[in-house]
């Protein structure tokens, strides 16, 4: 007999595959698929220019996934030095959000803007920036969560730009067939977003560390066996 709970488990659980580490498996549950979803929805083609807004763990996963599609350049925008350094180490061009990223990227692209923008923050201002940045006939892919029901979407600007705008909830299990082979082959190494690993018994300390943004914290892995 299969009840509703069993059916849900069949659709939303995956036995950790061979060749996938524990850290990678943790990221497969949400963050890595979300980054991949954002990159896939951006319709990146080889040789294009991409801008990525927000370099938290999801944004850094989106950066790795965007590189799978062959862009020539990725501009990575944030204001946290450690995140900008991580983006540079991953092959992106870091842009300090405090230094007018719109002007910097427009200058670097001859006034055209990037072909695609991935937004991984979810704030009103960063979604507006994504729409301002993207070139005519470009794609904006939003994976940041924005709960503002009164968000003032710039319809005229979208019209004039012939904009493709995508936003949605990531269908995590649907993307495992794409992502697991990429992890097994070493094409993706998202575990680099973990900056700290602590035992579960120090969970409160881990949350305090993350909240205070101390010690270059990016993402904390809690080990339930310790």
């Amino acid at each position: 007999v299969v009840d509703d709970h069993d059916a849900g488990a069949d659709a939303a659980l995956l036995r950790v595959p061979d060749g996938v580490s524990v850290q990678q498996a943790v990221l497969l549950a949400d963050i890595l698929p979300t980054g991949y979803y954002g990159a896939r929805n951006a319709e990146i083609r080889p040789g294009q220019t991409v801008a990525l807004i927000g370099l938290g763990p999801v944004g850094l996963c989106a950066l790795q996934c965007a590189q799978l599609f062959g862009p020539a350049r990725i501009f990575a925008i944030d204001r946290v030095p450690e995140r900008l350094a991580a983006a540079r180490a991953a092959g992106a061009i870091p842009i300090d959000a405090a230094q007018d990223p719109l002007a910097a990227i427009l200058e670097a692209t001859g006034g055209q803007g990037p072909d695609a923008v991935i937004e991984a923050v979810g704030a009103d201002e960063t979604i507006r920036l994504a729409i301002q940045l993207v070139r005519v006939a470009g794609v904006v892919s939003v994976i940041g969560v924005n709960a503002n029901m009164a968000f003032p979407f710039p319809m005229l600007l979208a019209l004039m730009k012939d904009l493709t705008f995508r936003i949605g909830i990531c269908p995590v299990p649907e993307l495992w067939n794409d992502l697991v082979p990429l992890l097994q082959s070493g094409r993706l190494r998202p575990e680099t977003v973990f900056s700290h690993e602590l035992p579960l018994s120090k969970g409160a300390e881990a949350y305090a560390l993350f909240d205070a943004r101390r010690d270059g914290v990016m993402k904390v892995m809690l080990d339930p066996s310790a």
Side-chain angles (χ1 to χ4, degrees):
V1 176
V2 178
D3 63 21
D4 290 341
H5 295 291
D6 294 325
D10 288 341
L13 291 180
L14 175 70
R15 186 180 297 276
V16 177
D18 292 339
V20 173
S21 70
V22 171
Q23 288 184 327
Q24 292 172 339
V26 169
L27 297 174
L28 271 175
D30 179 21
I31 290 176
L32 178 59
T34 300
Y36 180 72
Y37 180 68
R40 187 189 69 174
N41 280 356
E43 296 186 8
I44 302 163
R45 296 193 300 274
Q48 287 190 329
T49 295
V50 176
L52 173 61
I53 303 173
L55 299 174
V58 172
L60 289 173
C61 284
L63 170 56
Q64 286 197 33
C65 291
Q67 290 170 327
L68 297 171
F69 298 94
R73 294 183 293 177
I74 299 177
F75 295 100
I77 304 168
D78 205 294
R79 60 179 69 248
V80 179
E82 291 84 0
R83 294 180 175 185
L84 292 168
R88 184 191 298 276
I93 302 167
I95 302 289
D96 189 340
Q99 303 297 322
D100 196 351
L102 178 60
I105 293 176
L106 288 178
E107 181 179 1
T109 57
Q112 297 297 307
D115 300 283
V117 181
I118 303 169
E119 196 279 346
V121 179
D124 286 8
E125 63 180 307
T126 50
I127 295 175
R128 282 196 296 269
L129 174 61
I131 296 170
Q132 292 170 334
L133 273 173
V134 73
R135 70 179 303 153
V136 171
V139 180
V140 169
S141 173
V142 175
I143 49 176
V145 177
N146 184 300
N148 180 10
M149 297 295 289
F151 177 75
F153 191 85
M155 290 297 295
L156 182 58
L157 180 58
L159 171 71
M160 300 303 293
K161 284 195 168 188
D162 189 20
L163 176 69
T164 297
F165 183 90
R166 288 202 172 92
I167 186 169
I169 297 174
C170 173
V172 170
E174 176 186 311
L175 304 180
W176 285 335
N177 285 339
D178 290 354
L179 292 169
V180 168
L182 291 166
L183 292 171
Q184 291 171 324
S185 68
R187 290 289 305 280
L188 286 176
R189 298 188 60 83
E191 65 273 19
T192 56
V193 303
F194 287 110
S195 56
H196 296 71
E197 185 167 342
L198 296 172
L200 184 58
S201 59
K202 293 188 176 181
E205 295 176 32
Y207 275 97
L209 173 68
F210 187 80
D211 185 59
R213 298 290 192 270
R214 290 186 288 105
D215 193 25
V217 66
M218 184 73 65
K219 189 167 184 63
V220 180
M221 176 83 168
L222 294 176
D223 182 356
S225 67

